[in-house]
């Protein structure tokens, strides 16, 4: 995989261990408050009302059309990531952000253990997008929602990334939550790990000290990155000799 290395002489001031610990302890107070606020927001999210959706609306999988209810795969809940797709474009031009986000959710057994199915609902044709899925070597359930997007994304802009939560009661399906843009960062672990480092995400929108590297120009939303015009995650696949011909 190709790497971009940006040298910088900008560094935090050097202090003794006592001073360092004191300032870290001060930050830790805010971190703990942030954690408690996140817990409170999650508690409010669990108390939201829900809206019924047509359980028989179809998405296309490896065996052809299946219903939204079928996509639950017998579990009580479904988390569906609505993948942006550029029909007819080569792999290198497919959505950077969706490649970034969807590729993070690989170990889905933990979700399944809590009676949650995670699946991707691509907003492009099945055959073309499934070839991309195979090229990337992903393992989550993959469907095309093309043809049903007006129903599934009622009141929202088609062609934008979404993460939508559903629950079922028997053969009836309900939508309980959705988010988009930076809300889908919950799928990613790399950004959260970057946030722990001294230089952070190294993106221009961040509030960083003068001289900090911010070479990673980002499009909206502030999610994806490319090297040489191709989503970063694709480079290891190309290096392994996989074909990215989507035709």
């Amino acid at each position: 995989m190709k790497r971009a290395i940006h040298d910088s002489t900008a560094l935090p001031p050097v202090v003794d261990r006592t001073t360092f610990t004191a300032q870290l302890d001060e930050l830790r107070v805010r971190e703990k408050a942030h954690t408690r606020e996140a817990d409170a927001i999650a508690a409010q999210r669990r108390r939201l009302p829900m809206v019924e959706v047509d359980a028989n609306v179809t998405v296309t999988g490896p065996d052809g059309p299946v219903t939204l209810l079928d996509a639950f795969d017998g579990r009580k809940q479904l988390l569906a990531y609505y993948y942006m797709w550029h029909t007819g474009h080569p792999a290198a031009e497919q959505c950077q952000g969706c490649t970034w986000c969807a590729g993070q959710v690989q170990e889905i057994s933990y979700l399944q253990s809590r009676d949650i199915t995670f699946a991707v609902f691509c907003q492009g044709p099945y055959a073309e997008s499934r070839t991309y899925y195979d090229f990337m070597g992903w393992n989550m359930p993959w469907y095309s929602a093309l043809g049903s997007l007006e129903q599934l994304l009622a009141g929202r802009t088609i062609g934008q990334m979404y993460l939508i939560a559903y629950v079922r009661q028997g053969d009836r399906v309900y939508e309980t939550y959705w988010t988009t843009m930076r809300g889908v960062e919950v799928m990613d672990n790399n950004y959260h790990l970057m946030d722990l480092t001294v230089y952070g995400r190294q993106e221009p929108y961040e509030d960083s000290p003068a001289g900090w590297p911010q070479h990673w120009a980002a499009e909206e939303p502030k999610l994806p990155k490319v090297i040489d015009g191709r989503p970063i995650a694709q480079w290891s696949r190309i290096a392994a000799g996989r074909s990215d011909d989507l035709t």
Side-chain angles (χ1 to χ4, degrees), residues 20-236:
F20 172 74
T21 300
Q23 293 198 27
L24 182 58
D25 287 344
E26 183 179 342
L27 175 64
R28 198 79 75 201
V29 173
R30 295 187 64 186
E31 288 183 335
K32 290 181 178 179
H34 178 73
T35 298
R36 288 191 290 270
E37 178 61 14
D39 290 341
I41 292 171
Q44 183 177 351
R45 188 181 297 116
R46 291 191 294 272
R47 288 165 172 79
L48 288 173
M50 59 187 184
V51 60
E52 187 167 8
V53 296
D54 185 356
N56 293 311
V57 67
T58 60
V59 293
T60 301
D63 299 318
V66 298
T67 66
L68 177 61
L69 183 63
D70 291 332
F72 278 73
D73 198 23
R75 297 184 180 89
K76 179 73 173 181
Q77 299 181 85
L78 169 67
L79 272 174
Y81 180 71
Y82 284 75
Y83 198 108
M84 297 168 62
W85 188 257
H86 305 307
T87 302
H89 288 239
E93 297 177 9
Q94 291 306 324
C95 181
Q96 305 167 31
C98 290
T99 298
W100 172 285
C101 291
Q104 306 296 316
V105 189
Q106 291 297 294
E107 187 52 73
I108 57 178
S109 60
Y110 295 109
L111 292 169
Q112 293 173 346
S113 74
R114 304 297 172 93
D115 214 14
I116 302 166
T117 290
F118 174 81
V120 170
F121 285 7
C122 185
Q123 299 180 62
Y126 181 79
E128 186 178 278
S129 65
R130 176 59 192 240
T131 303
Y132 187 73
Y133 166 95
D134 291 336
F135 161 63
M136 295 302 298
W138 291 334
N139 60 14
M140 77 288 278
W142 185 275
Y143 301 94
S144 167
L146 194 64
S148 299
L149 292 172
E150 288 189 3
Q151 294 167 276
L152 292 168
L153 297 179
R156 288 156 287 198
T157 301
I158 294 172
Q160 189 167 288
M161 59 177 67
Y162 295 98
L163 184 60
I164 301 182
Y166 303 94
V167 68
R168 69 182 182 92
Q169 183 67 26
D171 60 358
R172 303 179 75 171
V173 173
Y174 303 89
E175 183 178 324
T176 62
Y177 177 76
W178 67 272
T179 188
T180 186
M181 304 300 282
R182 288 196 66 183
V184 304
E185 280 188 21
V186 297
M187 300 171 64
D188 168 63
N189 62 292
N190 285 287
Y191 259 175
H192 299 298
L193 292 172
M194 290 177 194
D195 285 341
L196 301 180
T197 70
V198 68
Y199 293 136
R201 304 179 186 190
Q202 302 176 49
E203 297 178 2
Y205 73 94
E206 287 182 287
D207 180 4
S208 294
W212 253 230
Q214 293 184 316
H215 303 286
W216 289 96
E219 63 184 11
E220 294 290 343
K222 310 296 193 303
L223 286 167
K225 299 294 163 285
V226 296
I227 296 178
D228 295 346
R230 180 186 291 271
I232 290 172
Q234 292 184 13
W235 280 108
S236 61

